[in-house]
Amino acid sequence: IPAVAAGAARRALDEVVAGAAGSVRGYRSPKPLADNPAFQRFVGEADQKLKAATALMMANGERLMEAVDRQGGTTDAQEVEVRAAAALATNLALEVITGLVPLAGGSGVRTGSLVEQALRDIAVMTTHYVVAGSAIEHYGRALLGLPADPLG
């Protein structure tokens, strides 16, 4: 789920960025979207969020494989952390796509557009049990030394 969410957000972001120089905004003094400082900041932050989400998931995947190789399986603590990371990565993808919507403009979110599809798909992905908010809550419980259920 988090890999698909991050990939969908990345593809939508890349498409809007690719068209930003030719996408003009404003009525009195129209200028390319690419020249808008708010868009520039958004693109920088969105890129970093997606890179961080991807790196976190890759690192967790490597740690899980090492645990399986070393001890034949994973611990509840490892599973709680990985599930929380999956929830965070999916939520970061949702932040990126929802932030992109007002910048993409009306044509960017028309039915069938890449941004509209990504928004719909990622929003639905966040409802999946694996990446639900309870995943992060259980990770917080584990960090506080309280019982945490990897499937809770």
Side-chain angles (χ1 to χ4, degrees):
I1 294 172
V4 174
R10 167 61 65 195
R11 184 161 179 230
L13 177 65
D14 289 350
E15 179 162 295
V16 173
V17 166
S23 179
V24 179
R25 297 283 191 273
Y27 294 104
R28 293 189 182 186
S29 54
K31 61 182 180 179
L33 181 59
D35 292 344
N36 180 329
F39 181 68
Q40 295 163 357
R41 179 183 174 104
F42 174 81
V43 168
E45 288 180 352
D47 181 73
Q48 290 296 305
K49 285 178 182 179
L50 294 174
K51 285 179 178 175
T54 301
L56 179 61
M57 294 310 301
M58 293 297 292
N60 279 327
E62 290 172 11
R63 284 199 340 243
L64 287 178
M65 292 306 297
E66 289 171 6
V68 168
D69 289 344
R70 194 172 354 105
Q71 60 203 37
T74 58
T75 65
D76 281 355
Q78 290 167 322
E79 291 179 22
V80 165
E81 183 174 0
V82 168
R83 187 168 164 234
L88 179 64
T90 305
N91 287 333
L92 287 173
L94 183 62
E95 283 180 27
V96 168
I97 197 66
T98 56
L100 190 58
V101 167
L103 298 168
S107 62
V109 293
R110 72 179 171 271
T111 301
S113 74
L114 193 58
V115 173
E116 184 270 336
Q117 290 173 5
L119 175 63
R120 181 190 62 233
D121 293 348
I122 296 169
V124 171
M125 285 179 215
T126 63
T127 67
H128 194 282
Y129 173 74
V130 170
V131 295
S134 63
I136 296 174
E137 293 166 15
H138 279 274
Y139 181 59
R141 290 179 59 81
L143 291 174
L144 293 166
L146 301 171
D149 181 358
L151 300 176

